[in-house]
Amino acid sequence: MSLNKSIVFCFALGLPCAVSAQTVVPSPGVSQPILHDFVPDSRRLELVTGEELKAQYSGQTIAGIYDITRHSDQRYVETLSTNGKISYRERAFQSEGKWFVRGNNLCFIYDEQPGREHCFYEFRYGDCIISYSDTSPVVAGKPLLTRDWSSVQKFVASDFRWPDVPADEADAFACFLSFV
């Protein structure tokens, strides 16, 4: 990947970067790739609560990767408007719907499934957010089974597009965990 594409990809995913004449260098910390049997360190998971969910997601676009998906490509992009509407893209598939917060869960209802709610606990994990189904047990503010995450996402620019290559050929989607 060229330096310019690396820089654009780095900033599009919100990764901390420093640019030199030769390379893109991350800030001090560690980058943890998401694909290939990712299990987050439960000590670094921080529950995002109800009012915080509204403030954090309203008007934002997120790029994410599912743990389990009905398609071969795990990547998606979702835009959550300030008025509760949502726009979802997963490769060629697109959907509209609404989003809302119930208790400490971020919930979605999509137009093609009007009676089905999809609700999740959201946890900060470095510069990522990790979602767990609302049916997954949370004990003392942590998911009981950290390997059972639903998706990992990052806040991105509203015009973000995943590279048009298979997920296993794209640059690794990763969470940046600082040493602080």
Side-chain angles (χ1 to χ4, degrees), residues 19-79:
V19 180
S20 73
Q22 299 291 325
T23 188
V24 174
V25 180
S27 300
V30 63
S31 192
Q32 186 173 11
I34 301 308
L35 294 177
H36 311 298
D37 301 322
F38 167 73
V39 178
D41 177 349
S42 65
R43 297 168 299 177
R44 292 182 172 262
L45 290 168
E46 179 186 341
L47 181 65
V48 182
T49 60
E51 287 304 313
E52 218 179 346
L53 287 169
K54 288 178 192 173
Q56 190 165 1
Y57 281 88
S58 184
Q60 298 295 318
T61 298
I62 56 175
I65 293 181
Y66 290 115
D67 183 27
I68 299 171
T69 184
R70 61 191 177 281
H71 306 287
S72 61
D73 194 322
Q74 300 172 301
R75 301 170 291 179
Y76 66 93
V77 176
E78 219 162 19
T79 300

Side-chain angles (χ1 to χ4, degrees), residues 34-38 62-78 86-91 93 95 108 110 112-113 118 120 129-132 147-153 162 167 173:
I34 301 308
L35 294 177
H36 311 298
D37 301 322
F38 167 73
I62 56 175
I65 293 181
Y66 290 115
D67 183 27
I68 299 171
T69 184
R70 61 191 177 281
H71 306 287
S72 61
D73 194 322
Q74 300 172 301
R75 301 170 291 179
Y76 66 93
V77 176
E78 219 162 19
I86 190 165
S87 176
Y88 177 90
R89 294 186 321 265
E90 183 182 326
R91 305 249 337 136
F93 176 76
S95 182
F108 308 93
Y110 298 99
E112 71 277 352
Q113 299 175 323
H118 304 268
F120 302 91
I129 300 288
I130 301 182
S131 298
Y132 288 84
R147 73 173 40 97
D148 289 347
W149 55 274
S150 299
S151 70
V152 176
Q153 57 208 10
W162 283 103
F173 185 77

Side-chain angles (χ1 to χ4, degrees), residues 107-179:
C107 299
F108 308 93
I109 298 176
Y110 298 99
D111 291 350
E112 71 277 352
Q113 299 175 323
R116 184 165 181 226
E117 291 183 3
H118 304 268
C119 295
F120 302 91
Y121 291 103
E122 305 293 318
F123 292 85
R124 276 186 208 84
Y125 190 71
D127 65 343
C128 290
I129 300 288
I130 301 182
S131 298
Y132 288 84
S133 170
D134 67 339
T135 61
S136 297
V138 172
V139 177
K142 305 282 185 187
L144 186 60
L145 303 170
T146 56
R147 73 173 40 97
D148 289 347
W149 55 274
S150 299
S151 70
V152 176
Q153 57 208 10
K154 290 182 176 237
F155 294 99
V156 295
S158 61
D159 62 348
F160 177 81
R161 298 281 185 264
W162 283 103
D164 194 21
V165 297
D168 59 351
E169 293 177 20
D171 286 340
F173 185 77
C175 296
F176 181 79
L177 306 169
S178 67
F179 290 130

